[in-house]
Amino acid sequence: MLLIDCPSCGPRDENEFHYGGQAGIACPTGDMTDERWAEYVFMRDNPKGWFHERWFHVHGCRTWFTVERHTVTHEIRKPR
Amino acid sequence: MTHPDFLWRNPDPKPAYDVVIVGGGGHGLATAYYLAKNHGLTNVAVLERGWLAGGNMARNTTIIRSNYLWDESAAIYEHSLKLWEGLSDELDYDLQFSQRGVLNLAHNLGDVREGRRRVNANRLNGVDAEWLDADEVKKFCPIINVSDRARYPVMGATLQRRGGIAKHDHVAWALARQADAYGVDLIQGCEVTGFEITGGRVTAVETSRGRIAAGKVALAAAGHTSVLAERAGIRLPLQSHPLQALVSELLEPVLDCVVMSNAVHVYVSQAHKGELVMGAGIDAYNSYGQRGGVHVIEAQMAAALELFPIFSRARVLRTWAGIVDVSPDASPIIGPTPVDGLYINAGWGTGGFKATPGSGWVYAHTLAHERPHPLAEPFALDRFTTGALIDEHGAAAVAH
Amino acid sequence: MRFTFDGRPMTGEPGDTLAAALLRNGVRVVGRSVDLGRPRGIFAAGPEEPNALVRVGADPILAATTVELHDGLEARSLRGKGRVDLDAVDERRCDKGYLHCDVLVVGGGPAGLAATLAAGRSGARVILVDDQPRLGGDLLNSRLLLDGAPALDWVAGLDLPARVLTRTTAAGYYDHNYVLAVERRARGERLWHIRARRVVLATGAHERSVAFPGNDRPGVMLAASARAYANRYGVRAGRRAVVFACADSGYEAAEDLTAAGVDVLAVVDPRPSGLPADVEVLAGQVVTGTTADAEGVLTGVRAGARHFDADLLAVAGGWNPAVHLFSQSGGRTRFDEELAAFVPGTSAQAERPAGACRGLYGTREAIADGYAAGAEAAGRTVPGLRVPECGERPLRRPAALWLVERTPGSEPAFADLHRDVTVADLARATGTGMRSVEHVKRYTTAGTGADQGKTSGAVVVGVMSALLGAAPGQVGTTTFRPPYTPVSFATLAGRDRGALSDPVRTTALHDAHVARGAVFEDVGQWKRPWYFPRDGEDMEAAVRRECHAARTAVAAMDASTLGKIDIRGADAGEFLDRVYTNMYSTLAVGACRYGVMCGADGMVFDDGTTTRLADDHYLTTTTTGNAAAVFDWLEEWRQTEWPDLDVSFTSVTDHWATVAVAGPRARQVIAAVAPEAVELAFMRYASVPVLGVPGRVFRISFSGELAYEVNVPWRYGRALWEAVLELGAVPYGTETMHVLRAEKGFAIVGQETDGTVTPQDLGMGWIVSARKPDFVGKRSHARPDTARQDRKRLVGLLADDPAALVEEGAQLTAAGVAPMLGHVTSSYHSAALGRTFSLAMARNVSPGDRLTAVSGNVAHPVTVVEPVFYDPDNTRRDGDPLVESPAPYAGECRSESPAAAFAARFEAASTPRAHLREVPFEPMWEVRGTDPGAGLRLGPDWWLVTGDVPPRPGWVDVSGQRTVLELAGPAAHDVLITGCPIDLDPSVFPGHAQTLLAKTSVILERVSPETYRIYVRSSFARYLAEWLIDALEAL
């Protein structure tokens, strides 16, 4: 059971949250190729190591925030 | 059960091979076997960074079935099931393959509708499938709780009688033994750390045991596929998640079929040796840690007891997890990549074990002919660009 | 104490384990091994037992060494596999608990007790868990003197500033210092979930055996275990013993056995010299074999040329630090040559091993190490921690002996006793080419047995290191996985059983439906009336009657479960334009518009009607099943993509109870309950009194008939429903609702759609705005596969046989065989049409085409038609005019709180220790943006204001969204920690928090040290009430 540090509520068990996958992916606008659109909808980083990811405190303050978590050790740190 | 006296050599890697398979799990070993057997290609190496078949092949819950919804999926899984049916004899190894029937339970009207839809699609695709009502479920598996006072009563189930289980380790060793006997080099403790790509074509792999030149490179690395792909400059729609599983202590036979439930989130079978083998869904976050949260296990146990109250005093002996590469449509990705000579077979997510022989067969064909086997064509990487996804979240059962 | 074993009556002493009692009764053979069927006896004294696996009552398989004897216990021998009792009813009541601490100490032996003292005295919050009924660890098994007195006196004299949990086994160590511990209680186990800032692992060490020929006979036992039986239980495990001492602990065992009256014949020590002893010491020798009687029970021990008549062979093979939890925590072990054992290496988490579990086997050094570990964990050292004196000898280096070679014809030498794995088996494995200990484990099954490798693990590694010529450190150990000892399914499930296994969500009208004999269906967690049978009707008759009423008179349905989201802000319209396929910024105030929402992949995600209540205020409805998902979806887009948009969302799904009134005579009913809404135009809304209370009426129709959705705050919902029915509306359920909408060709998300269907596929190209530059999913519609013309589309089907009901899920074909063109999504008997009809998704078909619908063995010929079957020109939409203005409804509009039905049961379950009640109704508002200066802060810019406070603009009335349950008394906290995962300690709990309680979201507020208020969603109130009553009844 991961302990996630919500910026608003403090450390909480992971089952108070929804996981949001990779952080920092903005929805592209304007004209673009099917490849570029697929890039946004489907392609994602999947590192074995530090991962900048999003969490949503669904059973708490309902805010989205990001952390960096190591996908092997599960150590969590604030995003740089 | 007596295992063979000899399984495989432990050769040093040669400087070059015609085909280098990256990943010595079930699919990688099956690919090597079929490359040799079906295509006469034996100048092949399987590179495994750990111990052979120590990844998901050692960690899955051994369920075998082919009752997927879409034509494309049914075709490839059914091809695999047909191969399973002859595999013990062919590999001369008791795989403990037991076609004891797989039930997918329905607990609400939506489940019933979707279950019937899948049964009808299966039958028209030549895949054996039946719809059972609650009484018939109870007759088929007397220890299931079909009481209408349950929180989510069983309303019926799909049944694939030809589905069942096999002993995962035996499958891996049987494939490895045959591949080794054909002259395929199985290289353990050999991690691929990079690719040599010249003019858009892969020419070698860099490994922890040195550089190995390759005519073709075939990725079969399941949860680690993205890590490798990134080193080749390829971005994929895969996310690696923990998939937990567990066994109970050894029990005398009490459950003689495989039971799966989406709504009451768990699947159970009883292995040959006697332990109950159980799993459920993935942990939500990305991880290569081969472990998950205990709350997932707790929820799974509560679900199991809703279906099988008699197991309340059975005990969990061991829990573990694999690293499953989940794709956006719960369907695999098979075929060439933008890098010439570099092929991918991944995205089997939570359902790779059942596909072991079928996946190996079509991948070997794809490598030998340098174009996708017809059964693999729909599972091309470019479907995410065209939108032609093959969405199997429903039929992939609990784990999606 | 009386008990039976295989039906034989026996007696034991209080405090006995079942194993001790069996030995006390002279039982040598306790079972047979799983593969070879060899007789086996008791091997150890704790959870590391691999042999003495028995059935106890309805428990399929347990180690007899872990079972506390009780009067009336019935045990049976096994052959290595448990037997599930198909008829037993498990009367245990297992529970959970969530604890937080600064320091968790695992193990109440010398090191653990010392760590607890040191950490606790420094002021840290400390929890100590120990798996035995009493503290002391190995001191319980020894005759050691501390400060000249029995060691247990020292233990008893300790004043431990900690929460002490005995009979509690730490079973799993998880990420971020989360430890699972199983507490054994007579009524049922308790699964503790402990989050600790720091952990001290004082888990001790297990003695190991040696793989010599004939090492599995009943009578062969671990030496420290034989010593434990003698010292702790007063039981002699044999009369004539040989001790195989690869480590000095063997000598201590020999002394203690002698003191207990056992005739110790010799100590066999592989090391060049032995220790001074009162018995013969054969130094530089090993045990080479055993002899047995006809039953296979030990009669003699061979050491080279020597033979001893003995019925007990006590093996002190050396010690393995219990590194299981350390390894589970992610720590790396390393092989210590000096100790010939794997010891903890680098820690991965905020954890530190202490004492024997890190190789410090002496009592004084363990205590000293414990003090240091406790201080380090607490971050403070306190003075006055003294290590008592004792007369222990320093321990010599153990012999690194793993196996004794067999001579041909001698008995097998076992490496894993439970799994019947011999040294020969391991040799065979390495002969195949396998080099990894993981491979060998799987090939032989070594380490997978009931002892989970506690006795077998090190032996296997040792044997493999001998076979492969590699150091044990190179061979490595297999990975340790939770649980440390087996944990029952029921223990892991806790109270999430039966009705409590998942929340039941109900509406304000639920009890009325039950009283009316409704048959319910599960829609997600909701119970929704499926149909209302009268006078023994079957479903078909009931639905026919309900449909007929809805199309010819007036009928009513509980529509409360649909999601309702209040959306406010200057950019509310702009935001809705971006997430829906259609336009909302152009919607007139007071108008309603149906909308479809897609995912980024362009597939239909949800649908519903959105109403504009004011320029900057909308109310969006969602499907029942997707309410939470849509609510989260809106928040995700706002916060992560468009944080600059001025818009906020509040769930009012439970605040409003909704009764849909449908039928040509619906106006009559509306005139009586909400007269000011009678003139409402189609797709218009009015905020008007309903039964005299503030309500809302929307003229929206899902049936094609004249229809109104009447909303009142939750507490008046039941009164509204009863009034509407009293006025003549016929109650109808979800089945009728489905039929009526299908007759009109309205798709249902999740039935006509399955995540692969676009709005265009549903024939709803009209809802996809061409004007908007972008909306979520738009770009996906232009992809080749999504834009192709031969996709499956929504069609209607009519079977040739008008009475034949084509099954939902039937596959559509041209001629009864593949290829499939699509499938039947909805299928019903229609009262209005007087025949059956279906909706389907099918490709490459046009109205008039003939198809075959295949379901199981049945094939129906069908014809494709347009997917509208009834009133295609929507002529029935306005219903009948009012015949006369009825009098306003004169009945009472009673208010009923969400947990009103539980008042009596709350009272009955309450005690002075824990009292439960529903707090009387108070108005509540959610506020976004500006701090209201009052109420509970729920998050950034988000408050809940309670009480008779005049609301300001923008405040959203959520008075019905939640109810408040109050739990008060000295045991209130104990009740909450069975289901609330956060730290409620006054030193850290900020007074209130949004969190989970059982399986539902709550706001938890501590109003006084012993009084908590639980704000729970009204639709979850029934579930939480049951859960709390269940918790109180267990106190």
Side-chain angles (χ1 to χ4, degrees), chain C residues 798-873:
Chain C
L798 290 175
D800 285 6
D801 176 1
L805 187 66
V806 178
E807 218 166 49
E808 289 171 352
Q811 291 286 343
L812 296 172
T813 64
V817 295
M820 287 165 265
L821 304 171
H823 74 287
V824 176
T825 57
S826 300
S827 205
Y828 308 101
H829 294 280
S830 167
L833 306 177
R835 57 154 300 139
T836 62
F837 72 101
S838 306
L839 291 173
M841 295 296 294
R843 61 184 163 90
N844 296 333
V845 297
S846 308
D849 286 354
R850 305 269 301 142
L851 302 176
T852 305
V854 178
S855 185
N857 293 322
V858 178
H860 290 286
V862 298
T863 306
V864 177
V865 297
E866 293 289 346
V868 182
F869 299 87
Y870 185 77
D871 187 29
D873 299 323

Side-chain angles (χ1 to χ4, degrees), chain B residues 37-339:
Chain B
K37 174 171 185 286
N38 290 352
H39 305 281
L41 294 173
T42 58
N43 187 15
V44 173
V46 176
L47 307 183
E48 168 53 48
R49 67 187 192 98
W51 43 281
L52 220 52
N56 292 346
M57 191 59 171
R59 293 157 199 276
N60 61 73
T61 53
T62 78
I63 296 173
I64 296 171
R65 59 191 178 90
S66 61
N67 55 356
Y68 281 68
L69 177 64
W70 301 111
D71 296 347
E72 303 88 338
S73 320
I76 196 169
Y77 286 106
E78 177 62 17
H79 174 68
S80 191
L81 181 52
K82 290 201 167 77
L83 290 171
W84 276 111
E85 287 173 325
L87 207 57
S88 284
D89 282 343
E90 186 180 320
L91 299 178
D92 188 28
Y93 205 123
D94 179 9
L95 304 180
Q96 291 175 357
F97 175 57
S98 165
Q99 290 178 285
R100 52 184 56 187
V102 176
L103 287 170
N104 288 86
L105 301 179
H107 297 268
N108 55 58
L109 296 175
D111 283 351
V112 171
R113 199 176 297 128
E114 286 305 307
R116 289 203 173 118
R117 176 186 177 187
R118 193 161 42 73
V119 164
N120 293 326
N122 288 157
R123 291 163 69 100
L124 286 164
N125 273 327
V127 175
D128 67 306
E130 298 161 49
W131 174 260
L132 305 183
D133 65 25
D135 288 337
E136 289 163 335
V137 169
K138 183 75 174 173
K139 239 195 293 271
F140 189 79
C141 185
I143 60 170
I144 290 186
N145 173 25
V146 297
S147 160
D148 60 5
R149 284 175 25 245
R151 175 66 184 91
Y152 295 113
V154 173
M155 295 180 73
T158 72
L159 169 61
Q160 182 173 27
R161 290 185 192 267
R162 286 166 60 240
I165 57 175
K167 184 65 183 179
H168 48 354
D169 292 325
H170 298 195
V171 178
W173 301 339
L175 291 166
R177 179 172 72 138
Q178 292 291 342
D180 177 89
Y182 273 115
V184 172
D185 282 355
L186 307 176
I187 321 269
Q188 301 180 62
C190 183
E191 179 173 3
V192 170
T193 54
F195 300 92
E196 225 175 73
I197 298 173
T198 322
R201 175 160 200 97
V202 67
T203 50
V205 293
E206 283 139 26
T207 82
S208 56
R209 293 180 69 171
R211 176 190 182 275
I212 302 172
K216 291 168 212 174
V217 177
L219 301 183
H224 278 79
T225 303
S226 297
V227 174
L228 291 163
E230 205 223 351
R231 296 196 184 124
I234 297 165
R235 205 138 175 264
L236 295 172
L238 298 176
Q239 299 279 267
S240 296
H241 290 265
L243 180 63
Q244 298 187 67
L246 63 91
V247 289
S248 71
E249 338 97 311
L250 302 186
L251 300 171
E252 288 173 16
V254 64
L255 175 63
D256 60 1
C257 65
V258 181
V259 180
M260 309 182 74
S261 171
N262 274 11
V264 177
H265 220 56
V266 70
Y267 38 89
V268 196
S269 65
Q270 185 170 20
H272 203 77
K273 239 167 54 199
E275 66 269 35
L276 296 173
V277 181
M278 299 173 57
I282 56 173
D283 282 72
Y285 48 82
N286 290 26
S287 170
Y288 291 79
Q290 292 178 322
R291 67 189 187 282
V294 69
H295 57 294
V296 173
I297 303 297
E298 293 175 72
Q300 185 182 326
M301 288 294 111
L305 290 183
E306 288 306 289
L307 296 177
F308 300 101
I310 59 161
F311 290 156
S312 72
R313 290 182 183 275
R315 285 175 156 75
V316 174
L317 194 60
R318 195 165 55 254
T319 66
W320 65 87
I323 309 168
V324 293
D325 43 333
V326 174
S327 78
D329 57 359
S331 290
I333 302 173
I334 312 171
T337 68
V339 176

Side-chain angles (χ1 to χ4, degrees), chain A residues 38 42-43, chain B residues 72-73 76 234-238 327-329 331-338 343-348 362-363 366 371-390, chain C residues 785:
Chain A
F42 296 118
M43 305 306 158
Chain B
E72 303 88 338
S73 320
I76 196 169
I234 297 165
R235 205 138 175 264
L236 295 172
L238 298 176
S327 78
D329 57 359
S331 290
I333 302 173
I334 312 171
T337 68
Y343 295 79
I344 183 174
N345 184 355
W348 293 91
V362 308
Y363 203 27
T366 302
R371 67 175 181 283
H373 185 286
L375 292 180
E377 271 169 16
F379 299 104
L381 179 57
D382 77 348
R383 71 179 186 272
F384 298 102
T385 303
T386 64
L389 277 67
I390 302 171
Chain C
D785 188 81

Side-chain angles (χ1 to χ4, degrees), chain C residues 117-141:
Chain C
L117 266 180
R121 283 204 197 153
S122 76
R125 280 195 291 158
V126 182
I127 296 175
L128 169 65
V129 302
D130 185 88
D131 69 345
Q132 292 298 301
R134 293 184 292 152
L135 297 174
D138 195 56
L139 298 178
L140 293 165
N141 302 323

Side-chain angles (χ1 to χ4, degrees), chain C residues 963-1032:
Chain C
T963 190
V964 183
L965 303 178
E966 188 180 80
L967 184 63
H973 177 262
D974 288 342
V975 169
L976 289 175
I977 64 169
T978 67
C980 180
I982 65 173
D983 194 349
L984 297 175
D985 190 274
S987 65
V988 296
F989 182 62
H992 72 277
Q994 289 202 93
T995 182
L996 290 167
L997 180 60
K999 291 182 150 214
T1000 180
S1001 285
V1002 297
I1003 304 169
L1004 190 62
E1005 184 190 13
R1006 185 185 14 246
V1007 294
S1008 79
E1010 289 184 351
T1011 307
Y1012 290 86
R1013 291 203 164 176
I1014 304 161
Y1015 298 66
V1016 60
R1017 286 277 297 263
S1018 302
S1019 62
F1020 285 92
R1022 177 178 308 266
Y1023 160 74
L1024 197 61
E1026 294 284 1
W1027 188 89
L1028 285 165
I1029 289 171
D1030 185 60
L1032 289 178

